Amino acid sequence: MTTLLTPHDIARIVAAQGIAGALQRLAGYIEADYRRWAQFDKTARVASHSESGVIELMPAADGQLYSFKYVNGHPGNTRLGLSTVMAFGVLADVATGTPQLLSELTLTTALRTAAMSALAARVLARPGSRTMALIGNGAQSEFQALAFHHLLGIDEIRLFDIDRAATAKLMRHLGGVPGLALIACDSTAQAVRGAHIVTTVTADKTCATILTPEMIEPGMHLNAVGGDCPGKTELHADILLGASVFVEYEPQSRIEGEIQHLPADFAVTEFWRVLLRVAPGRRRDDEVTVFDSVGFALEDFAALRWLRDSARELGLGETIDLIPQMADPKDLFGELRLPPAQHRPVRAA
């Protein structure tokens, strides 16, 4: 039997744990799995690109559990009344292949992306960082803002989006968060001036230059989230060339991340190496650090574990027959037989 979690179940988990508690717990699961990096089978996600967007599969396994996420990225979807990103995922038992959990991952992806951003910044940003610029105020922005507020103590966020309605939406949602000041800005340059951390989370599938070198100040930490597929970037290349760049899984980031246009020998550091102290993170207060975030399957693996455990604690989820429950496991054809009361002949048209 498989447990099904719907968006309503995810909302109930967050309500029970509180948004701060949910983000903190999720970040803990992600960190725990990054710390056992060597135990995982890892691969770059499998992507199918079209003119309008991309559909991807993201698998990961640790010898006991296997997970995958189906996720899309279609920036034009909002014109159709659809989300830019939609996702679901499966957590299965490696020993038998039995799917244990089938869950929505649209809401959960936003939560895990924000938790991962804050986890990376906790390691890479200057201690005592309190001000963040948030460029791009769409669907992911509230999650990022709350993660940095609750997990890092960011108390001032400067907002900019070319769509003023998006900024107004964010301020409506988060305007009452205690201890968090939100400042709407008229440009990217105004928003980033004096910021300790800059998060870019834009959606357009294009090689954009959201940040340019003259905007970057010594000691900034850049959390580059929106550049996450081939032909989609947010940072001017000279920013990367003058910074220390950290990635999740280098083979994937070389294809999809901000570093996709840089030479193959441009040095980057995988995040797990910093966590395990086999490579340095930030070395100086005036160093510019970049977390080139594209999203990696290990993070979804961790998120699915968090959902499974939280659902069990709270008694959430519906048990479904996702696969046949056979009296004789060698008689698959017999599962096509319906009980007499359910049998209805099909008439030819």
Side-chain angles (χ1 to χ4, degrees), residues 136-168:
N137 302 157
Q140 298 276 330
S141 59
E142 289 93 344
F143 299 89
Q144 291 283 330
L146 288 168
F148 276 88
H149 175 59
H150 290 302
L151 275 61
L152 258 78
I154 293 294
D155 54 24
E156 178 181 297
I157 301 182
R158 302 170 184 175
L159 310 170
F160 178 70
D161 195 299
I162 57 174
D163 180 4
R164 291 181 178 272
T167 303

Short mmCIF file of all heavy atoms in Angstrom, two decimals, residues 136-168:
data_model
loop_
_atom_site.label_atom_id
_atom_site.label_comp_id
_atom_site.label_asym_id
_atom_site.label_seq_id
_atom_site.Cartn_x
_atom_site.Cartn_y
_atom_site.Cartn_z
N GLY A 136 13.02 39.41 -7.85
CA GLY A 136 12.04 38.44 -8.32
C GLY A 136 11.10 38.11 -7.19
O GLY A 136 11.50 37.47 -6.21
N ASN A 137 9.86 38.56 -7.28
CA ASN A 137 8.91 38.42 -6.18
C ASN A 137 7.72 37.55 -6.55
O ASN A 137 6.60 37.78 -6.11
CB ASN A 137 8.44 39.80 -5.71
CG ASN A 137 9.56 40.73 -5.26
OD1 ASN A 137 9.40 41.94 -5.27
ND2 ASN A 137 10.71 40.16 -4.89
N GLY A 138 8.00 36.53 -7.36
CA GLY A 138 6.95 35.61 -7.80
C GLY A 138 6.68 34.49 -6.82
O GLY A 138 6.81 34.65 -5.61
N ALA A 139 6.34 33.32 -7.37
CA ALA A 139 5.82 32.22 -6.56
C ALA A 139 6.80 31.73 -5.50
O ALA A 139 6.38 31.25 -4.44
CB ALA A 139 5.41 31.07 -7.47
N GLN A 140 8.10 31.80 -5.75
CA GLN A 140 9.08 31.28 -4.79
C GLN A 140 9.47 32.29 -3.71
O GLN A 140 10.09 31.93 -2.72
CB GLN A 140 10.36 30.90 -5.55
CG GLN A 140 10.18 29.81 -6.58
CD GLN A 140 10.27 28.42 -5.98
OE1 GLN A 140 10.95 28.20 -5.00
NE2 GLN A 140 9.56 27.48 -6.57
N SER A 141 9.12 33.55 -3.90
CA SER A 141 9.74 34.61 -3.11
C SER A 141 9.38 34.57 -1.63
O SER A 141 10.24 34.80 -0.76
CB SER A 141 9.40 35.98 -3.70
OG SER A 141 8.00 36.19 -3.73
N GLU A 142 8.11 34.33 -1.29
CA GLU A 142 7.74 34.31 0.12
C GLU A 142 8.49 33.22 0.88
O GLU A 142 8.90 33.40 2.03
CB GLU A 142 6.22 34.09 0.28
CG GLU A 142 5.38 35.28 -0.13
CD GLU A 142 4.94 35.20 -1.57
OE1 GLU A 142 5.53 34.40 -2.33
OE2 GLU A 142 4.02 35.93 -1.95
N PHE A 143 8.66 32.07 0.24
CA PHE A 143 9.36 30.96 0.86
C PHE A 143 10.82 31.34 1.16
O PHE A 143 11.34 31.05 2.24
CB PHE A 143 9.31 29.73 -0.05
CG PHE A 143 7.91 29.23 -0.33
CD1 PHE A 143 7.18 29.72 -1.39
CD2 PHE A 143 7.33 28.27 0.49
CE1 PHE A 143 5.89 29.26 -1.66
CE2 PHE A 143 6.05 27.80 0.24
CZ PHE A 143 5.33 28.31 -0.84
N GLN A 144 11.46 31.99 0.17
CA GLN A 144 12.84 32.43 0.38
C GLN A 144 12.92 33.45 1.52
O GLN A 144 13.79 33.36 2.39
CB GLN A 144 13.38 33.05 -0.92
CG GLN A 144 13.59 32.06 -2.05
CD GLN A 144 14.84 31.23 -1.89
OE1 GLN A 144 15.84 31.67 -1.31
NE2 GLN A 144 14.81 30.00 -2.39
N ALA A 145 12.01 34.41 1.51
CA ALA A 145 12.03 35.45 2.54
C ALA A 145 11.87 34.85 3.93
O ALA A 145 12.60 35.20 4.87
CB ALA A 145 10.92 36.47 2.26
N LEU A 146 10.93 33.93 4.08
CA LEU A 146 10.68 33.34 5.40
C LEU A 146 11.83 32.45 5.85
O LEU A 146 12.19 32.42 7.03
CB LEU A 146 9.37 32.54 5.36
CG LEU A 146 8.10 33.40 5.29
CD1 LEU A 146 6.89 32.54 4.97
CD2 LEU A 146 7.89 34.18 6.58
N ALA A 147 12.43 31.72 4.92
CA ALA A 147 13.55 30.87 5.29
C ALA A 147 14.73 31.70 5.79
O ALA A 147 15.35 31.37 6.81
CB ALA A 147 13.98 30.01 4.09
N PHE A 148 15.04 32.79 5.10
CA PHE A 148 16.16 33.62 5.53
C PHE A 148 15.84 34.36 6.83
O PHE A 148 16.73 34.58 7.65
CB PHE A 148 16.55 34.59 4.42
CG PHE A 148 17.47 33.99 3.41
CD1 PHE A 148 16.96 33.31 2.31
CD2 PHE A 148 18.83 34.07 3.55
CE1 PHE A 148 17.80 32.72 1.39
CE2 PHE A 148 19.69 33.50 2.63
CZ PHE A 148 19.18 32.82 1.54
N HIS A 149 14.58 34.71 7.02
CA HIS A 149 14.20 35.38 8.27
C HIS A 149 14.29 34.41 9.45
O HIS A 149 14.91 34.72 10.47
CB HIS A 149 12.78 35.93 8.14
CG HIS A 149 12.25 36.53 9.40
ND1 HIS A 149 12.86 37.59 10.05
CD2 HIS A 149 11.15 36.22 10.16
CE1 HIS A 149 12.18 37.91 11.14
NE2 HIS A 149 11.14 37.08 11.23
N HIS A 150 13.69 33.25 9.31
CA HIS A 150 13.59 32.33 10.44
C HIS A 150 14.87 31.53 10.68
O HIS A 150 15.18 31.18 11.83
CB HIS A 150 12.42 31.37 10.23
CG HIS A 150 11.07 32.01 10.35
ND1 HIS A 150 10.67 32.68 11.48
CD2 HIS A 150 10.04 32.09 9.47
CE1 HIS A 150 9.44 33.15 11.31
NE2 HIS A 150 9.04 32.81 10.10
N LEU A 151 15.62 31.21 9.63
CA LEU A 151 16.79 30.35 9.78
C LEU A 151 18.09 31.13 9.90
O LEU A 151 19.08 30.60 10.44
CB LEU A 151 16.90 29.36 8.63
CG LEU A 151 16.08 28.06 8.76
CD1 LEU A 151 14.59 28.33 8.86
CD2 LEU A 151 16.36 27.12 7.59
N LEU A 152 18.11 32.39 9.41
CA LEU A 152 19.34 33.17 9.47
C LEU A 152 19.21 34.46 10.28
O LEU A 152 20.20 35.12 10.55
CB LEU A 152 19.82 33.54 8.06
CG LEU A 152 20.98 32.68 7.52
CD1 LEU A 152 20.45 31.33 7.07
CD2 LEU A 152 21.66 33.38 6.37
N GLY A 153 17.99 34.84 10.62
CA GLY A 153 17.81 36.08 11.36
C GLY A 153 17.80 37.32 10.48
O GLY A 153 17.98 38.44 10.99
N ILE A 154 17.58 37.19 9.17
CA ILE A 154 17.44 38.36 8.31
C ILE A 154 16.22 39.15 8.76
O ILE A 154 15.12 38.61 8.88
CB ILE A 154 17.29 37.94 6.83
CG1 ILE A 154 18.58 37.29 6.32
CG2 ILE A 154 16.87 39.11 5.96
CD1 ILE A 154 19.75 38.23 6.25
N ASP A 155 16.41 40.44 9.02
CA ASP A 155 15.30 41.24 9.54
C ASP A 155 14.89 42.38 8.61
O ASP A 155 13.93 43.10 8.90
CB ASP A 155 15.60 41.79 10.93
CG ASP A 155 16.91 42.58 11.00
OD1 ASP A 155 17.36 43.09 9.95
OD2 ASP A 155 17.49 42.65 12.10
N GLU A 156 15.62 42.55 7.49
CA GLU A 156 15.23 43.55 6.49
C GLU A 156 15.40 42.96 5.10
O GLU A 156 16.48 42.46 4.77
CB GLU A 156 16.07 44.81 6.62
CG GLU A 156 15.73 45.87 5.57
CD GLU A 156 16.58 47.12 5.69
OE1 GLU A 156 16.48 47.79 6.74
OE2 GLU A 156 17.37 47.40 4.76
N ILE A 157 14.32 42.99 4.32
CA ILE A 157 14.38 42.47 2.95
C ILE A 157 13.94 43.57 2.00
O ILE A 157 12.85 44.13 2.13
CB ILE A 157 13.51 41.22 2.78
CG1 ILE A 157 13.97 40.12 3.74
CG2 ILE A 157 13.58 40.72 1.33
CD1 ILE A 157 13.19 38.83 3.62
N ARG A 158 14.81 43.87 1.03
CA ARG A 158 14.53 44.88 0.02
C ARG A 158 14.05 44.17 -1.24
O ARG A 158 14.74 43.29 -1.76
CB ARG A 158 15.79 45.70 -0.25
CG ARG A 158 16.31 46.36 1.02
CD ARG A 158 17.68 46.96 0.82
NE ARG A 158 18.20 47.51 2.06
CZ ARG A 158 19.43 48.00 2.19
NH1 ARG A 158 20.26 48.00 1.15
NH2 ARG A 158 19.83 48.48 3.35
N LEU A 159 12.90 44.56 -1.73
CA LEU A 159 12.20 43.83 -2.77
C LEU A 159 12.21 44.56 -4.10
O LEU A 159 12.01 45.78 -4.14
CB LEU A 159 10.74 43.60 -2.36
CG LEU A 159 10.49 43.02 -0.96
CD1 LEU A 159 9.01 43.10 -0.62
CD2 LEU A 159 10.99 41.59 -0.88
N PHE A 160 12.42 43.80 -5.18
CA PHE A 160 12.22 44.38 -6.51
C PHE A 160 11.76 43.30 -7.48
O PHE A 160 12.27 42.18 -7.49
CB PHE A 160 13.49 45.02 -7.08
CG PHE A 160 13.27 45.55 -8.48
CD1 PHE A 160 12.46 46.67 -8.69
CD2 PHE A 160 13.80 44.90 -9.59
CE1 PHE A 160 12.22 47.13 -9.97
CE2 PHE A 160 13.57 45.37 -10.88
CZ PHE A 160 12.77 46.49 -11.06
N ASP A 161 10.77 43.69 -8.28
CA ASP A 161 10.29 42.87 -9.40
C ASP A 161 9.80 43.83 -10.46
O ASP A 161 9.23 44.89 -10.13
CB ASP A 161 9.15 41.95 -8.93
CG ASP A 161 8.85 40.84 -9.93
OD1 ASP A 161 8.48 41.15 -11.08
OD2 ASP A 161 8.98 39.66 -9.56
N ILE A 162 10.03 43.48 -11.73
CA ILE A 162 9.53 44.35 -12.80
C ILE A 162 8.01 44.39 -12.80
O ILE A 162 7.41 45.33 -13.33
CB ILE A 162 10.05 43.90 -14.18
CG1 ILE A 162 9.67 42.44 -14.46
CG2 ILE A 162 11.57 44.09 -14.27
CD1 ILE A 162 10.03 41.99 -15.86
N ASP A 163 7.37 43.40 -12.19
CA ASP A 163 5.93 43.37 -12.01
C ASP A 163 5.62 43.87 -10.59
O ASP A 163 5.80 43.15 -9.61
CB ASP A 163 5.41 41.95 -12.21
CG ASP A 163 3.90 41.84 -12.03
OD1 ASP A 163 3.24 42.89 -11.82
OD2 ASP A 163 3.38 40.71 -12.08
N ARG A 164 5.16 45.11 -10.49
CA ARG A 164 4.89 45.68 -9.16
C ARG A 164 3.82 44.91 -8.40
O ARG A 164 3.81 44.89 -7.17
CB ARG A 164 4.51 47.16 -9.30
CG ARG A 164 5.67 48.05 -9.75
CD ARG A 164 5.24 49.51 -9.85
NE ARG A 164 6.35 50.37 -10.24
CZ ARG A 164 7.21 50.92 -9.40
NH1 ARG A 164 7.08 50.70 -8.10
NH2 ARG A 164 8.20 51.67 -9.85
N ALA A 165 2.92 44.28 -9.15
CA ALA A 165 1.87 43.50 -8.49
C ALA A 165 2.45 42.32 -7.73
O ALA A 165 1.93 41.90 -6.69
CB ALA A 165 0.84 43.01 -9.52
N ALA A 166 3.55 41.76 -8.24
CA ALA A 166 4.19 40.65 -7.55
C ALA A 166 4.76 41.11 -6.21
O ALA A 166 4.63 40.42 -5.19
CB ALA A 166 5.30 40.06 -8.42
N THR A 167 5.39 42.28 -6.20
CA THR A 167 5.93 42.82 -4.95
C THR A 167 4.80 43.12 -3.96
O THR A 167 4.90 42.83 -2.77
CB THR A 167 6.74 44.09 -5.23
OG1 THR A 167 7.79 43.79 -6.15
CG2 THR A 167 7.34 44.65 -3.95
N ALA A 168 3.70 43.67 -4.47
CA ALA A 168 2.56 43.97 -3.61
C ALA A 168 1.99 42.70 -3.01
O ALA A 168 1.59 42.67 -1.83
CB ALA A 168 1.49 44.72 -4.40
#
